[in-house]
Structures are given as structure tokens and as C-alpha cells.
Amino acid sequence: MIPLNAASTPLDLTSDRINRAIAFSQTLPNSLTRWQSHLALLALEGLAQYFSERSTPIQFDRTQARLLEPSEFGIPAAINSIYADQFHLALFVVDNEIEFPMSLMQNPAHFYIAASVNEEANQIEFYGFLRGDRLNLSSTSDATCLIPVSQLETNFEHLFWYLASLELSAIPLPSSSLAISAQWLIQPLVNAAQWVQTQIDEWSWTLFSLELAPAGMRASANAFSADLSSVFTEIERSGLQIPSTAQSGYRSIKLNQHTFRLYITTWAVEEAEWSLLAILESIQSPTLPTGTQLVIQAGETVLVEEEAKARSAYLIAQIIGDWNEQFTLTLKSVDPGDRMTIDSLSLPPIVFQPD
């Protein structure tokens, strides 16, 4: 065992943050690794609380944060895509030694923060951090790599000094060449039947409304591009009727260094049934990168899989389910040549529960 000394005093998590971590953990389908994921989620809540309680101008952004699920029981979960101003932060949980999850190298970070979780006491401690440009991994072939304590910067105040003083270019990052693990966008489960009553702005979802006019013509709306208005019109002309009571939201998502916008529209079809319509477009270019996939799953079962070909402007997927069914949307970036997955991100399940 390697003795570790905490770089911060124990942080007592608020009940809201504890409940948020529990709620997200319960949506994860892999029961074998759910506990490790839960500890990592508690650590994320602790880091967010730590930043919020400090008097600092540094902006803490968790809206793109990803949970990297362990490949098997006993391997620590990790979290990346946290941002402090423009710096990329990653987070992993340690116990008696610094066991670094190699999944974090899928998307290298500027800083890797080591945290300890006392789940019974609902406390988080930070043991220190690693700079990305000084990370020395003795092995990259296993799921984890033991790191000597000497690599860890144990003065946590140095992290805030770096964030406030360094230019982004001061910490060059390597490119990733590792296999992709299961990744989840860390946000609350979406009950699409009650979006209007739910405060979701902090999670980067924006509500929008499309009013259907007679003869299939749709009123103009400024929540999205004019091209997307025509997409909705063509969807209706193909036979899918979207009622005026439908509820919709959109958000941006980063995948394989590309920014997309995902639109979701839901509505009740018949008694105890609902419809989910998902549309994916690129924000950066007129067409989607070839090999981009939009997948709808129920549990582990793939129900719909759409893939962008050359010059595809949109991906459209639609499914109907019972009110007791929940669906998971996954975005993937697949190399069109060797068919290898370059990046993958699953969103929290979407449900439709009016009551």
C-alpha cells in the first residue's frame, strides 16, 4: 500500500448533490460496474461544490462531462470533459494507491484530479492532481496504471494558480489512440412529457416549439435553422403527424472534436404510448462527418441505427413505445474505412411520463 495524504480537507456533500449522483447512477444499465461509477459521480459533485464554494473567477463547466464506465468490476470509473475556463479537467477516484484509469487517455486532459470518496460519511477529499504534459505512464496495455505518489502535485492551490495564470498552449496534449469505452453524458434523466415544467437550462437543453399549420406548412421559428424547418415539413409529408402538443428540446454535443446539435421531439400517440423523434445536424459544417451514427436503444437492444453517408445533412430516427419504456440515444463516430469506433457518447435515458 502507498500512503496518501489528502491535499484538501474533507468536503461534506450537500444532500442535493448526493441525490443527483444517486439518480444518475440508477439509470446506468451495467449493474456490475455501477458502484464504481457512483463513486466517480460523487467525486464530480464534490469537485463542482468545491469550485462553487471558492471565491474565484474561474468558470466551472460540467455540461459536457462524461462518465467513462469501467470495462469490468474492480476498475475505477473516471470522468472527463469537465472545463475550468478553457482547460480540460479529468477526475478519477483513488483508494490506497493511485490507480490511473487508462480510459482517460481516450480524450487527454490538461489536469487529472485524484479524489477519495467516503460514501458512508458523504465526504470527498482531493489528494492532488497530475499535469497532462508531465504524466508518465509506465504501461498503456492494461486497464489501469499505478502512478507513484511523487508524480502527484499535492498542493491543490497550485491547480487554481495554473488555471488562472497559464495559457492553454502551455500544456500540450498527446493525441489519443486507445479503444473507446462506454461513455455517458452526465445529466439528469429526461422526462420529455414534462419539459415545460422542468428547469433544464443548466443542463444545456433549450426548449422550442413548432406549430403545424394546415397543408403541412410549418410556421417560422427562430430556435433552429430554416433548413431544419423544411426537414420537419418533409417528415410530416412522409406520413408522420406531429401534433401541436408535441414538446421539443435541443442541445449541442461534442463528439470526436466536432460539434453537433441534437433535436428531440416527443408526443403522446395513443393511450399509454408515446413517440420519440430525434434529428442530428452539424453546427460546424453543412453536412455531417461521414460515419456519424445516431442510435436509439431500449436497454442493450438496438432499435434504430442511422449513419451519415457522404453529403448527409441530417440523421433522423423515430421510435414508438409504451409509457413504461425508456430509450437511450447514443452518438457514434465510426471510421468509414476500417469501421472502428472513434468516439461514442450515450445520453441519459429519455422517458415519457405525463403524471
Side-chain angles (χ1 to χ4, degrees):
M1 297 293 184
I2 302 175
L4 293 175
N5 296 313
S8 68
T9 57
L11 177 70
D12 295 313
L13 288 174
T14 65
S15 58
D16 286 347
R17 294 191 178 278
I18 296 168
N19 292 335
R20 185 179 296 163
I22 292 173
F24 188 85
S25 300
Q26 292 173 342
T27 68
L28 299 173
N30 191 343
S31 60
L32 293 178
T33 60
R34 190 175 294 146
W35 178 248
Q36 295 102 295
S37 296
H38 176 63
L39 294 179
L41 291 164
L42 287 173
L44 172 62
E45 295 299 335
L47 186 63
Q49 183 173 322
Y50 189 85
F51 268 80
S52 68
E53 292 177 355
R54 288 181 61 94
S55 177
T56 173
I58 298 170
Q59 297 296 313
F60 183 85
D61 181 7
R62 57 176 290 176
T63 57
Q64 297 285 344
R66 298 185 179 196
L67 170 69
L68 311 183
E69 273 194 299
S71 57
E72 58 187 73
F73 180 78
I75 296 175
I79 293 172
N80 69 10
S81 299
I82 311 164
Y83 291 91
D85 287 344
Q86 298 299 312
F87 287 96
H88 179 196
L89 308 183
L91 180 67
F92 64 103
V93 177
V94 298
D95 192 359
N96 294 311
E97 48 193 8
I98 308 174
E99 190 175 7
F100 185 86
M102 293 305 300
S103 59
L104 284 172
M105 300 310 295
Q106 297 170 182
N107 184 12
H110 295 100
F111 300 99
Y112 301 91
I113 299 172
S116 174
V117 179
N118 184 336
E119 194 270 338
E120 291 185 357
N122 294 319
Q123 290 183 333
I124 307 297
E125 290 180 282
F126 301 107
Y127 281 103
F129 64 96
L130 301 152
R131 276 183 52 155
D133 59 338
R134 298 175 182 172
L135 186 63
N136 184 15
L137 301 173
S138 59
S139 173
T140 59
S141 59
D142 297 323
T144 62
C145 178
L146 289 179
I147 294 180
V149 174
S150 58
Q151 279 203 46
L152 202 66
E153 293 205 38
T154 56
N155 188 335
F156 214 57
E157 290 302 314
H158 285 177
L159 174 64
F160 288 87
W161 185 87
Y162 287 143
L163 295 174
S165 305
L166 292 182
E167 296 290 336
L168 203 61
S169 59
I171 305 180
L173 299 179
S175 58
S176 172
S177 60
L178 296 175
I180 299 299
S181 65
Q183 302 182 54
W184 291 84
L185 188 67
I186 305 174
Q187 298 196 351
L189 176 145
V190 174
N191 183 359
Q194 297 182 356
W195 265 0
V196 174
Q197 295 86 6
T198 304
Q199 296 297 321
I200 60 174
D201 288 349
E202 66 172 305
W203 302 108
S204 296
W205 283 102
T206 301
L207 301 181
F208 70 92
S209 176
L210 282 174
E211 295 295 332
L212 287 173
M217 297 303 295
R218 199 175 287 280
S220 63
N222 58 12
F224 45 81
S225 66
D227 286 344
L228 191 67
S229 292
S230 63
V231 171
F232 274 92
T233 301
E234 290 302 317
I235 289 173
E236 187 199 14
R237 287 174 177 170
S238 70
L240 180 63
Q241 299 300 313
I242 304 176
S244 59
T245 55
Q247 299 194 59
S248 306
Y250 69 90
R251 60 157 297 142
S252 61
I253 294 178
K254 294 180 180 178
L255 187 76
N256 190 28
Q257 301 180 352
H258 195 96
T259 304
F260 300 86
R261 183 171 288 133
L262 176 67
Y263 303 84
I264 294 175
T265 298
T266 64
W267 64 92
V269 179
E270 297 176 353
E271 184 176 353
E273 284 190 340
W274 67 291
S275 179
L276 167 65
L277 172 66
I279 302 174
L280 185 70
E281 71 169 348
S282 170
I283 294 179
Q284 297 177 215
S285 59
T287 60
L288 294 165
T290 304
T292 301
Q293 291 185 351
L294 173 60
V295 182
I296 300 180
Q297 294 177 240
E300 300 296 323
T301 304
V302 174
L303 303 175
V304 181
E305 183 178 278
E306 300 293 339
E307 181 172 337
K309 308 300 181 184
R311 297 183 295 279
S312 294
Y314 300 94
L315 289 180
I316 302 171
Q318 192 256 342
I319 196 75
I320 294 176
D322 298 331
W323 282 359
N324 63 349
E325 287 187 274
Q326 59 183 31
F327 300 119
T328 299
L329 271 67
T330 298
L331 308 184
K332 293 183 179 182
S333 178
V334 176
D335 188 304
D338 59 20
R339 305 304 300 167
M340 294 291 292
T341 299
I342 303 170
D343 198 2
S344 175
L345 181 63
S346 296
L347 278 67
I350 300 172
V351 300
F352 191 88
Q353 298 171 348
D355 298 327

